[in-house]
Amino acid sequence: MLGTDFSTGSPNWLDLGSPDTGAAAAFYGAVLGWEFVSAGPEAGGYGFFQVDGRTVAALGPLTEEGASSAWMVHFKTEDVRATVAAVTAGGGTVRMEPMDVMGEGWLAQATDPQGAEFALWQPGKTAGLGLASAPGTLIWAELHVPDPVADIAFYQGLFGWRSQEMEVPGMTYRVLSVRDGDLQEASFGGVAPLGDGAGGGAERPRWVPYFHATDVDATVAKAGEKGGSVLMPAADVPDVGRISWLADPFGAVYSTPAPVCSAISSSGRP
């Protein structure tokens, strides 16, 4: 499971770009119980979602022209410039060159060869999230791309990730682990082949965050009540837990599982 003892390649930050940060903060506050705390006037509207005073995600306005609302998973790097060079060498695209974020750390943004966007965070004063794998916090990160094997090879070139195949109904799921430590204990996410989205629309390549829910059905109901969309109703996945897929009022996709084990499968994904 995810923790806050970050190693190379760990998801260590997560933020949401939204066209209406006030409405987004209100939505996630109601659905996941988060409190939004502004980072101050110099931060351009950026701020932090917190649980019990610890940061579990962040929120800011959309900054790229033509961008749509989405969650952005950040991965730890010890040398952001070297990792950015590896992105280019591996066939990815650098959307934002490394920049110093007020001494808190170095940030860069990239797109993998199959179109999934992600970010890099080299810690400075801020190592990363303050809480993970607790109720209402990030518990898993899942990649959806047309060719999982090829994309895993790309990320292995950046972070040295390991992967393990897991057969589930209708597909092969691949569990990801950071490069060091016990394979299962070091797992943090997975890769699923791209499929059709809910309602018959084509799913696009992306990283999807999973937030720990103690009551998936209640979370789904609250999301719908507050203007979100239910992409996949709550369903039980054998040996994994109860999972739903949701989108916030602006279309940002996320999942809310109540897991029963650490290897979270997306076998019931939309």
Side-chain angles (χ1 to χ4, degrees), residues 125-142:
K125 289 185 289 185
T126 296
L129 301 175
L131 185 64
S133 293
T137 72
L138 183 67
I139 195 171
W140 198 250
E142 190 166 273

Side-chain angles (χ1 to χ4, degrees), residues 77-93:
T77 175
E78 303 290 348
D79 186 338
V80 69
R81 295 191 183 280
T83 306
V84 161
V87 167
T88 303
T93 303

Side-chain angles (χ1 to χ4, degrees), residues 1-269:
M1 289 296 203
L2 290 170
T4 54
D5 185 15
F6 307 111
S7 59
T8 297
S10 296
N12 65 339
W13 194 255
L14 176 73
D15 59 19
L16 172 67
S18 179
D20 187 333
T21 55
F27 174 81
Y28 288 98
V31 175
L32 294 177
W34 292 347
E35 179 185 3
F36 180 72
V37 178
S38 171
E42 72 280 2
Y46 197 81
F48 311 111
F49 285 123
Q50 295 188 338
V51 171
D52 296 331
R54 288 184 282 181
T55 297
V56 298
L59 168 68
L62 293 171
T63 57
E64 296 182 56
E65 185 176 351
S68 57
S69 186
W71 283 99
M72 184 75 65
V73 180
H74 298 51
F75 299 100
K76 181 182 178 180
T77 175
E78 303 290 348
D79 186 338
V80 69
R81 295 191 183 280
T83 306
V84 161
V87 167
T88 303
T93 303
V94 177
R95 300 193 328 277
M96 187 185 81
E97 294 290 342
M99 63 172 289
D100 181 6
V101 184
M102 297 179 287
E104 300 297 330
W106 283 81
L107 171 69
Q109 295 185 358
T111 303
D112 73 25
Q114 296 186 42
E117 297 181 350
F118 66 102
L120 303 167
W121 183 254
Q122 178 184 323
K125 289 185 289 185
T126 296
L129 301 175
L131 185 64
S133 293
T137 72
L138 183 67
I139 195 171
W140 198 250
E142 190 166 273
L143 174 63
H144 289 223
V145 287
D147 187 342
V149 173
D151 229 30
I152 289 171
F154 166 77
Y155 287 101
Q156 286 173 333
L158 305 185
F159 306 118
W161 286 350
R162 296 169 289 168
S163 67
Q164 188 173 21
E165 292 188 357
M166 187 174 142
E167 293 301 324
V168 298
M171 69 169 176
T172 299
Y173 190 76
R174 293 168 173 86
V175 177
L176 298 172
S177 302
V178 295
R179 68 186 183 190
D180 299 318
D182 176 81
L183 194 63
Q184 182 171 345
E185 291 180 359
S187 65
F188 64 86
V191 187
L194 201 65
D196 291 331
E203 186 186 359
R204 65 178 178 83
R206 60 188 167 197
W207 281 95
V208 178
Y210 278 40
F211 300 115
H212 189 306
T214 54
D215 187 332
V216 175
D217 297 86
T219 301
V220 169
K222 180 63 72 172
E225 176 188 322
K226 296 300 179 180
S229 303
V230 180
L231 304 182
M232 184 191 80
D236 292 320
V237 179
D239 302 321
V240 174
R242 193 160 178 80
I243 294 178
S244 68
W245 271 57
L246 304 168
D248 71 19
F250 305 103
V253 175
Y254 65 100
S255 178
T256 54
V260 296
C261 71
S262 60
I264 298 180
S265 163
S266 71
S267 58
R269 67 191 176 86

